């Protein structure tokens, strides 16, 4: 099955000049969704994760069911102010400004193997920040995984872990 057939492209969203790859059409197609989860499981499983960390918010849609399929736990990497209780955060640079990602304090024990999961890898800034945040609390990050990679943006080069992508767009 070609999973690209189940990804809808929406021009000029969320702003002019951006081509948005909408995974909601894949999620709504039960066979494509099963195939995508099976393929991700076969790519991520060999890294033997204890946990999958999903990046807000579409990363949750992949990481949570994938963690269930792999028999491991799931934690959320979120924007500031979205998690209850004490959090640990990391500020990171964007092209124009900064952003921040956070996890709940105590969500990841030192030495746990955590694969970071998101729906899409573009420039790599958020994924790199998620990896750095997890390492700051003592996690071992053996890999990252995404459904879609915009290879032409070079985000993979910003990551220092193997990166699994089911679909790559070259332009």
């Amino acid at each position: 099955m070609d999973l690209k057939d189940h990804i809808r492209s929406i021009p000029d969203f969320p702003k002019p000049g951006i081509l948005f790859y909408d995974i909601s059409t894949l999620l709504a197609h039960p066979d494509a969704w099963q195939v995508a989860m099976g393929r991700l499981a076969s790519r991520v499983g060999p890294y033997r994760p204890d946990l999958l960390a999903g990046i807000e918010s579409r990363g949750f849609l992949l990481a949570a069911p994938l963690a269930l399929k792999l028999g491991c736990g799931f934690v959320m990497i979120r924007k500031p102010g979205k998690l209850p209780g004490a959090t640990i955060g990391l500020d990171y640079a964007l092209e124009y400004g900064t952003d921040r990602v956070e996890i709940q304090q105590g969500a990841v024990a030192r030495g746990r193997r955590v694969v970071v999961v998101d729906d899409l890898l573009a420039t790599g800034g958020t994924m790199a920040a998620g990896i750095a945040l997890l390492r700051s609390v003592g996690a071992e990050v053996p890999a990252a995984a995404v459904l879609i990679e915009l290879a032409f943006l070079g985000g993979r080069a910003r990551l220092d872990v193997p990166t699994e992508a089911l679909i790559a767009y070259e332009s």
Side-chain angles (χ1 to χ4, degrees):
M1 176 183 292
D2 188 348
L3 294 176
K4 282 185 178 180
D5 293 342
H6 300 282
I7 305 289
R8 178 172 58 166
S9 300
I10 301 175
D12 300 319
F13 182 82
K15 59 185 180 181
I18 301 291
L19 180 60
F20 184 80
Y21 292 98
D22 182 15
I23 67 168
S24 67
T25 47
L26 183 139
L27 299 174
H29 191 281
D31 291 339
W33 185 218
Q34 286 284 349
V35 167
M37 286 293 94
R39 288 179 186 173
L40 274 173
S42 69
R43 299 267 190 99
V44 172
Y47 293 103
R48 302 178 337 274
D50 298 308
L51 297 165
L52 299 185
I55 296 178
E56 182 168 338
S57 66
R58 288 183 300 270
F60 301 167
L61 298 171
L62 298 171
L66 184 58
L68 188 63
K69 190 171 189 68
L70 292 173
C72 61
F74 165 72
V75 296
M76 294 177 280
I77 296 175
R78 298 207 68 183
K79 295 177 182 172
K82 301 287 186 176
L83 293 169
T87 60
I88 298 166
L90 177 82
D91 295 315
Y92 65 101
L94 298 170
E95 190 172 337
Y96 300 104
T98 61
D99 209 343
R100 182 175 177 85
V101 290
E102 297 179 342
I103 58 171
Q104 289 175 307
Q105 186 175 340
V108 179
R110 182 167 292 285
R112 302 289 280 178
R113 294 175 61 81
V114 185
V115 172
V116 184
V117 178
D118 205 354
D119 69 317
L120 184 131
L121 176 63
T123 61
T126 303
M127 182 69 78
I131 292 167
L133 175 61
L134 289 163
R135 287 178 176 155
S136 78
V137 299
E140 179 184 340
V141 182
V146 296
L147 179 64
I148 300 169
E149 178 181 7
L150 304 181
F152 60 93
L153 293 177
R156 183 182 289 260
R158 292 185 68 176
L159 308 180
D160 63 355
V161 297
T163 304
E164 303 292 339
L166 292 188
I167 299 168
Y169 291 94
E170 300 298 334
S171 62

